[in-house]
Amino acid sequence: MPPAITAEGLVKKYGDTVALDGMDLSVPEGTVFGLLGPNGAGKTTTVRILTTLLRPDAGRAAVAGFDVVADADRLRAHIGVSGQYAAVDDHLTGAENLEMVGRLYHLGAKRSRRRARELLERFDLTDAADRPVQGYSGGMRRRLDLAGALVADPPVLFLDEPTTGLDPRARTTLWDVVAELVAGGTTVLLTTQYLEEADRLAETIAVVDHGRVIALGTADQLKDRIGGDRIQVTVESAVDLETVRRTLAPLAIGDVQTDAVASQVTIPVVNGAAALTAALGRLAAEGVVVRDAGLRRPTLDEVFLTLTGHHTVEHTKESVR
Ligand SMILES: Nc1ncnc2c1ncn2[C@@H]1O[C@H](COP(=O)(O)OP(=O)(O)OP(=O)(O)O)[C@@H](O)[C@H]1O
Ligand SMILES: [Mg+2]
């Protein structure tokens, strides 16, 4: 089966800014693919090109078998998009907005109306369905925008930072919806700055930085790339942090991280369980009072730091639409 989404060597420049610098992607049908990267990495630019809203300066891409430039018109009938540039008409009600999308996709009046009601219900917007969107909160707009992407049941769905600005309940709803869609064969490309989200939803994650993919794999594969487990020791008193650091440094296979606020030291190790036992023995011999100690796998943020030398930026962007 051909991939649902392919991109080869996409380049996009804005003046001197290189937004995309050779972006390559291949997304198998019926899977969730996560583009994970910090602000300005090129996520939205990629989505805009794949959804025909923007033409690449170089490279090629195809979605559902249609070239993003040559077959742009036919391509559009096969995709749904939600994201940072979405068009929601403020003067129409929520229901009218969704019905309009249905009509654009040639669903017919009756089916458009039924689909709109279903999705309003699904995203907790039934009470607001007949109110003009200009009175909606930011989170309500985001939910309406997501519903809009789903109206036509498109085989390929693009979700640009779908959970930014959503409350925890709406976030869970979205996660459930994505899981259901994929079980039904839909292909989803989502972008996120949230490591847990990529980890939870996406089978394959592409880590993006400066307009290209710098790492590709499952969450577990990416974690394996920086290897090993982490021992995390929390001490009663922050004055002991330096002792912990010095005592455990010989066990470390990489950088030891100290978090003074959490009174915590994190040490990358091999053979986690044995190393943890050894670590606790050494700390006891030094007379350090340990409040908590345990093993954990590296987070995707640590993967990102290892790959790029900088952290992913994790903050909400309520105001970005
Ligand atoms: N219309 C534009 N004009 C000029 N520069 C742009 C434009 N759109 C994007 N850029 C630049 O291209 C780069 C990539 O932007 P893009 O929006 O694709 O990043 P992103 O990964 O989606 O970031 P974010 O997480 O903030 O949404 C950035 O340096 C950005 O400033
Ligand atoms: Mg973006």
Side-chain angles (χ1 to χ4, degrees):
M1 215 185 293
I5 304 169
T6 55
E8 283 169 40
L10 292 180
V11 173
K12 184 71 198 179
K13 293 181 187 154
Y14 295 102
D16 291 341
T17 306
V18 181
L20 295 186
D21 188 18
M23 177 70 71
D24 297 316
L25 298 172
S26 177
V27 182
E29 202 177 302
T31 65
V32 185
F33 188 89
L35 277 186
L36 172 69
N39 287 146
K43 303 181 297 296
T44 297
T45 305
T46 303
V47 171
R48 296 194 63 154
I49 289 173
L50 294 174
T51 56
T52 77
L53 297 171
L54 195 67
R55 280 175 80 116
D57 297 332
R60 317 188 309 171
V63 176
F66 300 103
D67 186 273
V68 294
V69 178
D71 302 320
D73 288 340
R74 283 193 293 161
L75 188 161
R76 269 179 230 124
H78 293 80
I79 60 170
V81 199
S82 150
Q84 295 178 328
Y85 36 75
V88 170
D89 189 327
D90 266 5
H91 301 293
L92 300 181
T93 67
E96 286 165 351
N97 263 286
L98 295 186
E99 284 167 31
M100 193 179 69
V101 177
R103 303 301 289 274
L104 287 174
Y105 280 90
H106 308 296
L107 287 193
K110 203 169 148 200
R111 232 178 109 207
S112 296
R113 204 171 312 126
R114 180 161 47 81
R115 196 69 187 126
R117 293 288 155 184
E118 270 168 30
L119 287 163
L120 289 162
E121 170 87 40
R122 188 76 213 252
F123 284 97
D124 265 328
L125 290 169
T126 299
D127 290 346
D130 299 316
R131 298 206 320 251
V133 169
Q134 55 199 1
Y136 280 25
S137 71
M140 290 164 77
R141 282 165 181 273
R142 294 289 310 185
R143 283 181 274 145
L144 185 67
D145 174 46
L146 286 163
L150 303 178
V151 166
D153 275 322
V156 185
L157 198 56
F158 293 88
L159 306 176
D160 194 5
E161 300 202 25
T163 59
T164 299
L166 294 188
D167 63 25
R169 180 187 154 119
R171 190 169 290 202
T172 308
T173 300
L174 178 76
W175 285 352
D176 290 346
V177 168
V178 168
E180 279 169 30
L181 289 169
V182 171
T186 304
T187 306
V188 180
L189 182 145
L190 63 89
T191 78
T192 184
Q193 308 186 37
Y194 298 107
L195 307 160
E196 321 78 58
E197 187 160 277
D199 197 352
R200 163 156 189 170
L201 282 178
E203 286 146 271
T204 308
I205 298 169
V207 183
V208 180
D209 198 32
H210 300 300
R212 70 172 92 141
V213 176
I214 57 165
L216 180 75
T218 63
D220 281 342
Q221 284 167 347
L222 291 174
K223 288 169 181 176
D224 282 345
R225 276 186 66 167
I226 64 164
D229 291 315
R230 301 286 185 272
I231 292 178
Q232 209 157 44
V233 174
T234 310
V235 291
E236 283 296 336
S237 165
V239 299
D240 284 334
L241 286 174
E242 192 40 46
T243 310
V244 174
R245 191 185 174 85
R246 180 169 38 78
T247 310
L248 301 186
L251 300 175
I253 58 163
D255 286 347
V256 176
Q257 311 258 329
T258 305
D259 180 341
V261 177
S263 291
Q264 203 168 61
V265 179
T266 303
I267 305 116
V269 295
V270 284
N271 289 331
L276 181 61
T277 308
L280 292 174
R282 285 172 184 231
L283 292 175
E286 289 288 327
V288 172
V289 180
V290 173
R291 173 150 34 109
D292 189 44
L295 280 179
R296 66 165 176 78
R297 299 268 279 148
T299 63
L300 283 175
D301 192 47
E302 286 164 332
V303 174
F304 200 84
L305 185 62
T306 305
L307 294 170
T308 66
H310 56 89
H311 287 279
T312 55
V313 191
E314 284 197 80
H315 60 116
T316 54
K317 295 182 298 167
E318 280 320 314
S319 59
V320 178
R321 289 225 27 244

